[in-house]
Amino acid sequence: QTGNSARQESKKFSILIIDDEPDILSIFKRSLEIAGHSTYGFVNPTAALAHFKENPTQYRVVVSDVRMPGMSGFELAREIRKLNPDVKIVLTSSFEISMKEFKTVMPSLNIDGILEKPVTFDKLHDIIKDVAK
């Protein structure tokens, strides 16, 4: 009834998730769908890139693991960025690194956030909300 719910509704969007571990992919998808977002997920980064090439403006945020067979999250992020410079990219990784350190080590890789594994639902939702502003 209030305008407040309309504002909340506008904050929901599509998210592409790539993680070679099916359980993690499933948990991320479910958590974000419960929050009202629409999600599409892949365990294969090459298949995810092919899908993104056909739908380069469908997603507001891409969440990808860094270490995956066939193509790293870094390579995937570079290719996605070429197709849509405006999409927000968040990488998940088991190693500890801050955004500041990351930008020092890999300044050419234009990503919007890093999530350290294990990822809590709160951290996942906070970074999605933060990068999608």
Side-chain angles (χ1 to χ4, degrees), residues 53-83:
K53 281 180 180 172
E54 293 181 12
N55 306 278
T57 58
Q58 181 177 335
Y59 300 98
R60 181 106 158 268
V61 179
V62 174
V63 178
S64 176
D65 191 14
V66 169
R67 290 190 182 177
M68 298 180 289
M71 179 185 300
S72 75
F74 300 133
E75 294 168 301
L76 181 61
R78 276 193 188 96
E79 293 304 312
I80 283 175
R81 184 64 72 211
K82 288 178 196 172
L83 297 164

Short mmCIF file of all heavy atoms in Angstrom, two decimals, residues 53-83:
data_model
loop_
_atom_site.label_atom_id
_atom_site.label_comp_id
_atom_site.label_asym_id
_atom_site.label_seq_id
_atom_site.Cartn_x
_atom_site.Cartn_y
_atom_site.Cartn_z
N LYS A 53 27.25 -13.97 -23.43
CA LYS A 53 27.40 -13.37 -24.77
C LYS A 53 26.06 -13.18 -25.45
O LYS A 53 25.85 -12.23 -26.18
CB LYS A 53 28.31 -14.24 -25.64
CG LYS A 53 29.77 -14.06 -25.36
CD LYS A 53 30.64 -14.94 -26.26
CE LYS A 53 32.10 -14.73 -25.95
NZ LYS A 53 32.97 -15.67 -26.64
N GLU A 54 25.14 -14.12 -25.20
CA GLU A 54 23.80 -14.03 -25.80
C GLU A 54 22.87 -13.11 -25.01
O GLU A 54 21.82 -12.72 -25.51
CB GLU A 54 23.19 -15.42 -25.92
CG GLU A 54 23.93 -16.29 -26.92
CD GLU A 54 23.33 -17.68 -27.06
OE1 GLU A 54 22.20 -17.91 -26.55
OE2 GLU A 54 23.98 -18.53 -27.67
N ASN A 55 23.24 -12.79 -23.76
CA ASN A 55 22.40 -11.99 -22.88
C ASN A 55 23.24 -10.95 -22.12
O ASN A 55 23.22 -10.90 -20.90
CB ASN A 55 21.71 -12.90 -21.85
CG ASN A 55 20.95 -14.04 -22.49
OD1 ASN A 55 19.83 -13.87 -22.91
ND2 ASN A 55 21.58 -15.20 -22.57
N PRO A 56 23.98 -10.11 -22.84
CA PRO A 56 24.96 -9.24 -22.18
C PRO A 56 24.36 -8.16 -21.29
O PRO A 56 25.07 -7.61 -20.44
CB PRO A 56 25.75 -8.62 -23.34
CG PRO A 56 24.82 -8.70 -24.50
CD PRO A 56 24.00 -9.94 -24.30
N THR A 57 23.08 -7.84 -21.44
CA THR A 57 22.49 -6.79 -20.61
C THR A 57 21.42 -7.34 -19.66
O THR A 57 20.74 -6.57 -19.00
CB THR A 57 21.86 -5.69 -21.49
OG1 THR A 57 20.87 -6.28 -22.34
CG2 THR A 57 22.91 -5.00 -22.34
N GLN A 58 21.30 -8.64 -19.58
CA GLN A 58 20.26 -9.25 -18.74
C GLN A 58 20.57 -9.16 -17.25
O GLN A 58 19.68 -9.13 -16.42
CB GLN A 58 20.07 -10.71 -19.13
CG GLN A 58 19.00 -11.42 -18.33
CD GLN A 58 18.79 -12.85 -18.79
OE1 GLN A 58 19.07 -13.20 -19.94
NE2 GLN A 58 18.30 -13.68 -17.90
N TYR A 59 21.86 -9.11 -16.89
CA TYR A 59 22.25 -9.19 -15.49
C TYR A 59 22.81 -7.89 -14.97
O TYR A 59 23.56 -7.20 -15.65
CB TYR A 59 23.29 -10.31 -15.29
CG TYR A 59 22.74 -11.65 -15.71
CD1 TYR A 59 23.02 -12.17 -16.97
CD2 TYR A 59 21.89 -12.35 -14.87
CE1 TYR A 59 22.49 -13.38 -17.37
CE2 TYR A 59 21.35 -13.56 -15.27
CZ TYR A 59 21.65 -14.08 -16.51
OH TYR A 59 21.10 -15.27 -16.91
N ARG A 60 22.46 -7.56 -13.73
CA ARG A 60 23.01 -6.38 -13.06
C ARG A 60 24.31 -6.74 -12.36
O ARG A 60 25.22 -5.92 -12.25
CB ARG A 60 21.98 -5.87 -12.06
CG ARG A 60 22.38 -4.65 -11.30
CD ARG A 60 21.61 -3.45 -11.83
NE ARG A 60 21.50 -2.36 -10.91
CZ ARG A 60 20.51 -2.16 -10.05
NH1 ARG A 60 19.54 -3.02 -9.93
NH2 ARG A 60 20.49 -1.09 -9.31
N VAL A 61 24.38 -8.00 -11.84
CA VAL A 61 25.55 -8.44 -11.08
C VAL A 61 25.95 -9.85 -11.52
O VAL A 61 25.09 -10.69 -11.78
CB VAL A 61 25.25 -8.46 -9.55
CG1 VAL A 61 26.45 -8.95 -8.76
CG2 VAL A 61 24.82 -7.08 -9.05
N VAL A 62 27.26 -10.08 -11.60
CA VAL A 62 27.81 -11.41 -11.85
C VAL A 62 28.65 -11.78 -10.63
O VAL A 62 29.50 -11.00 -10.20
CB VAL A 62 28.70 -11.44 -13.12
CG1 VAL A 62 29.38 -12.79 -13.28
CG2 VAL A 62 27.87 -11.10 -14.35
N VAL A 63 28.38 -12.97 -10.06
CA VAL A 63 29.16 -13.49 -8.93
C VAL A 63 29.87 -14.74 -9.43
O VAL A 63 29.22 -15.68 -9.88
CB VAL A 63 28.25 -13.83 -7.73
CG1 VAL A 63 29.07 -14.42 -6.59
CG2 VAL A 63 27.47 -12.61 -7.25
N SER A 64 31.20 -14.74 -9.36
CA SER A 64 31.96 -15.88 -9.88
C SER A 64 33.06 -16.31 -8.92
O SER A 64 33.73 -15.47 -8.31
CB SER A 64 32.60 -15.52 -11.22
OG SER A 64 33.42 -16.59 -11.67
N ASP A 65 33.23 -17.61 -8.82
CA ASP A 65 34.37 -18.16 -8.09
C ASP A 65 35.64 -17.81 -8.87
O ASP A 65 35.58 -17.60 -10.09
CB ASP A 65 34.21 -19.68 -7.98
CG ASP A 65 35.20 -20.31 -7.02
OD1 ASP A 65 35.84 -19.59 -6.24
OD2 ASP A 65 35.32 -21.55 -7.05
N VAL A 66 36.76 -17.75 -8.19
CA VAL A 66 38.03 -17.47 -8.85
C VAL A 66 38.61 -18.74 -9.46
O VAL A 66 38.98 -18.77 -10.63
CB VAL A 66 39.04 -16.81 -7.88
CG1 VAL A 66 40.43 -16.77 -8.48
CG2 VAL A 66 38.59 -15.41 -7.51
N ARG A 67 38.68 -19.81 -8.66
CA ARG A 67 39.32 -21.05 -9.13
C ARG A 67 38.29 -22.02 -9.66
O ARG A 67 37.49 -22.58 -8.91
CB ARG A 67 40.08 -21.70 -7.98
CG ARG A 67 41.29 -20.92 -7.60
CD ARG A 67 42.15 -21.68 -6.64
NE ARG A 67 43.27 -20.83 -6.27
CZ ARG A 67 44.17 -21.17 -5.40
NH1 ARG A 67 44.11 -22.34 -4.80
NH2 ARG A 67 45.16 -20.36 -5.12
N MET A 68 38.34 -22.21 -10.98
CA MET A 68 37.43 -23.15 -11.64
C MET A 68 38.19 -23.82 -12.77
O MET A 68 39.08 -23.21 -13.37
CB MET A 68 36.21 -22.41 -12.21
CG MET A 68 35.35 -21.73 -11.17
SD MET A 68 33.93 -20.86 -11.89
CE MET A 68 34.74 -19.47 -12.69
N PRO A 69 37.84 -25.07 -13.08
CA PRO A 69 38.51 -25.74 -14.20
C PRO A 69 38.10 -25.14 -15.54
O PRO A 69 36.96 -24.73 -15.71
CB PRO A 69 38.04 -27.19 -14.08
CG PRO A 69 36.80 -27.15 -13.25
CD PRO A 69 36.89 -25.92 -12.40
N GLY A 70 39.04 -25.04 -16.45
CA GLY A 70 38.74 -24.56 -17.80
C GLY A 70 38.94 -23.07 -17.98
O GLY A 70 39.46 -22.63 -19.00
N MET A 71 38.51 -22.27 -17.01
CA MET A 71 38.63 -20.82 -17.10
C MET A 71 38.55 -20.25 -15.68
O MET A 71 37.62 -20.57 -14.95
CB MET A 71 37.48 -20.25 -17.95
CG MET A 71 37.50 -18.74 -18.09
SD MET A 71 36.06 -18.07 -18.97
CE MET A 71 36.21 -18.86 -20.55
N SER A 72 39.50 -19.42 -15.32
CA SER A 72 39.46 -18.83 -13.98
C SER A 72 38.41 -17.72 -13.92
O SER A 72 37.98 -17.19 -14.96
CB SER A 72 40.83 -18.26 -13.61
OG SER A 72 41.05 -17.03 -14.30
N GLY A 73 38.05 -17.36 -12.72
CA GLY A 73 37.13 -16.24 -12.53
C GLY A 73 37.71 -14.94 -13.05
O GLY A 73 36.98 -14.06 -13.50
N PHE A 74 39.05 -14.82 -13.00
CA PHE A 74 39.70 -13.62 -13.53
C PHE A 74 39.49 -13.52 -15.04
O PHE A 74 39.13 -12.46 -15.57
CB PHE A 74 41.21 -13.64 -13.24
CG PHE A 74 41.56 -13.69 -11.78
CD1 PHE A 74 42.51 -14.59 -11.33
CD2 PHE A 74 40.97 -12.83 -10.87
CE1 PHE A 74 42.85 -14.63 -9.98
CE2 PHE A 74 41.31 -12.87 -9.51
CZ PHE A 74 42.26 -13.77 -9.07
N GLU A 75 39.72 -14.64 -15.74
CA GLU A 75 39.54 -14.66 -17.20
C GLU A 75 38.08 -14.39 -17.55
O GLU A 75 37.77 -13.62 -18.47
CB GLU A 75 39.95 -16.02 -17.77
CG GLU A 75 41.43 -16.32 -17.64
CD GLU A 75 41.74 -17.78 -17.94
OE1 GLU A 75 41.21 -18.68 -17.26
OE2 GLU A 75 42.51 -18.01 -18.88
N LEU A 76 37.18 -15.03 -16.82
CA LEU A 76 35.75 -14.85 -17.06
C LEU A 76 35.35 -13.39 -16.85
O LEU A 76 34.64 -12.81 -17.67
CB LEU A 76 34.95 -15.77 -16.13
CG LEU A 76 33.44 -15.73 -16.27
CD1 LEU A 76 33.00 -16.16 -17.67
CD2 LEU A 76 32.79 -16.63 -15.21
N ALA A 77 35.85 -12.78 -15.77
CA ALA A 77 35.54 -11.37 -15.49
C ALA A 77 36.02 -10.46 -16.62
O ALA A 77 35.30 -9.55 -17.03
CB ALA A 77 36.17 -10.95 -14.16
N ARG A 78 37.22 -10.72 -17.14
CA ARG A 78 37.74 -9.90 -18.24
C ARG A 78 36.84 -9.99 -19.47
O ARG A 78 36.55 -8.98 -20.12
CB ARG A 78 39.16 -10.36 -18.62
CG ARG A 78 40.22 -9.76 -17.78
CD ARG A 78 41.62 -9.97 -18.38
NE ARG A 78 42.60 -9.53 -17.42
CZ ARG A 78 43.23 -10.33 -16.56
NH1 ARG A 78 43.01 -11.62 -16.57
NH2 ARG A 78 44.10 -9.85 -15.70
N GLU A 79 36.42 -11.21 -19.80
CA GLU A 79 35.57 -11.41 -20.99
C GLU A 79 34.19 -10.78 -20.79
O GLU A 79 33.65 -10.16 -21.70
CB GLU A 79 35.44 -12.91 -21.30
CG GLU A 79 36.74 -13.55 -21.76
CD GLU A 79 37.35 -12.86 -22.98
OE1 GLU A 79 36.61 -12.61 -23.96
OE2 GLU A 79 38.56 -12.56 -22.95
N ILE A 80 33.63 -10.93 -19.61
CA ILE A 80 32.32 -10.35 -19.31
C ILE A 80 32.39 -8.83 -19.37
O ILE A 80 31.51 -8.18 -19.92
CB ILE A 80 31.80 -10.86 -17.94
CG1 ILE A 80 31.28 -12.29 -18.12
CG2 ILE A 80 30.72 -9.94 -17.37
CD1 ILE A 80 30.85 -12.98 -16.85
N ARG A 81 33.46 -8.27 -18.84
CA ARG A 81 33.63 -6.81 -18.83
C ARG A 81 33.69 -6.27 -20.27
O ARG A 81 33.17 -5.20 -20.55
CB ARG A 81 34.90 -6.46 -18.05
CG ARG A 81 35.15 -5.00 -17.88
CD ARG A 81 34.12 -4.26 -17.07
NE ARG A 81 34.19 -4.57 -15.66
CZ ARG A 81 33.13 -4.56 -14.85
NH1 ARG A 81 31.95 -4.24 -15.30
NH2 ARG A 81 33.26 -4.86 -13.58
N LYS A 82 34.31 -7.02 -21.19
CA LYS A 82 34.36 -6.61 -22.60
C LYS A 82 32.96 -6.55 -23.20
O LYS A 82 32.67 -5.70 -24.03
CB LYS A 82 35.21 -7.58 -23.43
CG LYS A 82 36.69 -7.51 -23.17
CD LYS A 82 37.39 -8.56 -24.03
CE LYS A 82 38.80 -8.85 -23.58
NZ LYS A 82 39.39 -9.99 -24.29
N LEU A 83 32.10 -7.48 -22.79
CA LEU A 83 30.75 -7.57 -23.35
C LEU A 83 29.80 -6.55 -22.74
O LEU A 83 28.87 -6.10 -23.39
CB LEU A 83 30.19 -8.98 -23.13
CG LEU A 83 30.96 -10.10 -23.83
CD1 LEU A 83 30.57 -11.45 -23.25
CD2 LEU A 83 30.70 -10.07 -25.32
#
